[in-house]
Amino acid sequence: MTTATAPSPTSTAPTPQQVWKRARGLLIALLILVIAGITFAAVRSGTNHGHLDPRSADPKGSRAAAELLKARGISVTVATTLDEATTAAGPDTTLLVTGPNLLTPAQQRRLHEATTASTGRTLLIAPGPAAASRLSPGVRTEPHRPVSALPPSCAFPAARSAGTADMGGVRYTAPDSTATACYPSDGAPSLLILKDRGDGDTVLLGSPDFLHNERLDQQGNASLALQLLGSRPHLVWYLPSLTDPSATSDDGSPDDNGTNGGGNGEEASGEESDFLALIPSGWLWATLQLTLAAVLAAIWRGRRLGPLVLERLPVSIRASESAEGRAGLYRKANARDRAAESLRAAARTRIARLTGVTAREAHTSDVLLPAVSARTTTTGDDLSTLLFGPAPADDAALVLLADHLDALEREVRTS
């Protein structure tokens, strides 16, 4: 007689080889993602070289606009620190700030004070909400829109003369009725001119695309660039940098829309910038995406929870071998109580069939014992002790119990 039994669960720890086989797929996927991220960053860093730099001939550079301005007699000076930019500001100077979001809150407030007092023109390229509120108080930003060819739709002479230009990006609104709004996109302007004291003004541009070398010859981009940047005899082209000493000499807290973040607006004078604030936002998003991918991969590869499923054993095991194996486990654990109960339960089940007792009542002493007593000569107390008694005290008593159960079953069978 052979039976197929389900293997009993074990709690063995996985070997290093098993751990490696389970984890190598995830590790390879993470390695591929890291390599792809580094490659993508390298390619992007190469394409962004010289972005809005008047000395760069790259597609995203602005050398073409600078050369056209010089040809018209405008002096172009490149400034890379806040001190250079504020010192050069004046009534006959146009100050172009290419990255206002890179400035710390203290730098932005200092720049606003200098430009307001200069009575010159200040052009801000795509300032975010925090930067716009500090560099042009009262201005609110609207959600970003794609850059496209837009008509000026305003009375500003430079915009009307240039006509359609590549505008869009960040949009701005101002409660001041004297502000001039041009190039609206979905109802909000992407070019806003605010009048300052005297003849000074502040121009907010939602996108720098019309200044790029690759777009300068399209639409009215060149005309708009020359009129906005060439309204004064001197142009200071300010390229903010994270290496500017003034970025850490003040509060060092970053803005919220560029590679630096705005925080809660509180100043901490003399403190250095937080290291995480200096990490470009793209890398933070990449790290978040990698973490999410790792969690999803862990869920995908993790153990499924659910009911246990019994499977057929690939090899049939003899019933005697299974019994011997279980008996060995009982002996090793000194589980005489479990062994005795197993012997008694099996004997009661077989004897119940011989005496006409149902399987449901085979383990009920009140029903089984009277039926067995009628077929044997064993007294009631001895019969109760034999079929429902306590666990044996030692191995010899367990062997004796097995012999008595066999003798009882033979007597009932032959009666």
Side-chain angles (χ1 to χ4, degrees), residues 149-194:
L150 298 175
S153 302
C154 67
F156 185 51
R160 290 180 61 87
S161 176
T164 302
D166 290 330
M167 296 297 293
V170 185
R171 301 168 302 153
Y172 305 96
T173 58
D176 189 357
S177 59
T178 61
T180 304
C182 300
Y183 296 101
S185 176
D186 287 349
S190 55
L191 188 152
L192 190 67
I193 304 97
L194 304 173

Side-chain angles (χ1 to χ4, degrees), residues 52-56 61-78 96 211-213 216 222 225-226 229 235 237:
L52 283 181
D53 193 325
R55 301 160 297 186
S56 173
S62 299
R63 183 176 178 179
E67 293 298 326
L68 289 177
L69 289 168
K70 292 177 182 178
R72 297 184 60 177
I74 307 299
S75 66
V76 179
T77 303
V78 177
L96 172 63
L211 293 174
H212 293 161
N213 292 329
L216 194 64
L226 293 178
L229 302 180
L235 170 62
W237 203 296

Side-chain angles (χ1 to χ4, degrees), residues 389-415:
D394 50 28
D395 291 344
L398 179 62
V399 173
L400 183 61
L401 172 64
D403 292 340
H404 288 170
L405 289 173
D406 288 341
L408 178 63
E409 184 178 350
R410 285 194 300 269
E411 184 178 0
V412 173
R413 190 182 299 276
T414 58
S415 62

